[in-house]
Amino acid sequence: VVAAATTVVPPPVGATRVATPPVRSKNGTEKPYAIGGKRYVPAEHGSKYTAVGLASWYGPGFNGRKTAVGERFDMTGLSAAHKTMPLPSYARVTNLSNGTSIVVRVNDRGPYVHGRLIDLSSRAADLLQFKGSGVGRVKVEYVGRAPESGSDNKMLMATLRTDGSPAPLPGGMANTMVA
């Protein structure tokens, strides 16, 4: 099992550990939160993030439910959940077993299963070719801020690469990040 790389800040000594949901703000969930006794501190937009770990996927049981940013989860869309990535944002996800790569919209929090780095929509897991096995070893890279709302599935689908090359940035995004 590969441990996920996340930013976890322990609570102060003597503090009561209470599971609290992420706090929503105009730009997504930005406030620190705790789940299962672990405290998570979301990164800010413009932060550099790259990690390797296990991806899982979620589908029918969550379809139609609200995500952390208030959007309705669509299992046929190209979206993801991450514990600390800024919301909403874009992440490049590459399946390390076959080189397939795509950019997804990160609009939810999770996964909270030990050793999991990112949860992908059913469609994204299918395109990355690990849905049948349930999990896949992936590289995840923050690539930039996503718009607050709206469907960007068509634009994200255009980033799919199956030839081993990294998925390009979504249309209209600069190739460099500005802090």
Side-chain angles (χ1 to χ4, degrees):
V1 175
V2 177
T6 59
T7 304
V8 178
V9 178
V13 175
T16 304
R17 291 181 173 211
V18 178
T20 56
V23 176
R24 290 191 185 113
S25 71
K26 182 179 179 189
N27 294 321
T29 53
E30 301 170 343
K31 306 290 183 200
Y33 66 100
I35 298 287
K38 291 185 181 179
R39 184 170 160 84
Y40 301 94
V41 180
E44 295 181 15
H45 281 287
S47 301
K48 292 182 180 181
Y49 177 89
T50 300
V52 172
L54 289 179
S56 50
W57 62 274
Y58 59 140
F62 295 90
N63 201 44
R65 291 187 184 182
K66 280 193 174 186
T67 65
V69 297
E71 299 169 356
R72 294 277 177 199
F73 173 65
D74 176 5
M75 65 185 226
T76 66
L78 297 173
S79 62
H82 191 276
K83 292 181 276 288
T84 60
M85 203 170 279
L87 299 181
S89 61
Y90 292 125
R92 178 184 296 122
V93 182
T94 304
N95 181 336
L96 296 177
S97 71
N98 62 18
T100 302
S101 183
I102 195 165
V103 175
V104 297
R105 178 182 182 85
V106 182
N107 63 359
D108 207 0
R109 289 289 179 223
Y112 300 107
V113 175
H114 179 72
R116 304 281 170 85
L117 178 61
I118 193 167
D119 258 346
L120 297 169
S121 65
S122 175
R123 178 73 174 139
D126 196 34
L127 291 168
L128 288 170
Q129 302 171 20
F130 76 82
K131 185 177 170 186
S133 62
V135 295
R137 187 165 159 76
V138 297
K139 178 179 180 181
V140 177
E141 303 165 87
Y142 170 84
V143 295
R145 181 188 302 262
E148 289 292 321
S149 63
S151 175
D152 41 20
N153 286 322
K154 195 173 197 179
M155 175 182 68
L156 294 175
M157 186 63 196
T159 70
L160 177 66
R161 295 296 181 268
T162 58
D163 61 359
S165 64
L169 297 178
M173 287 189 73
N175 215 5
T176 57
M177 291 191 302
V178 177

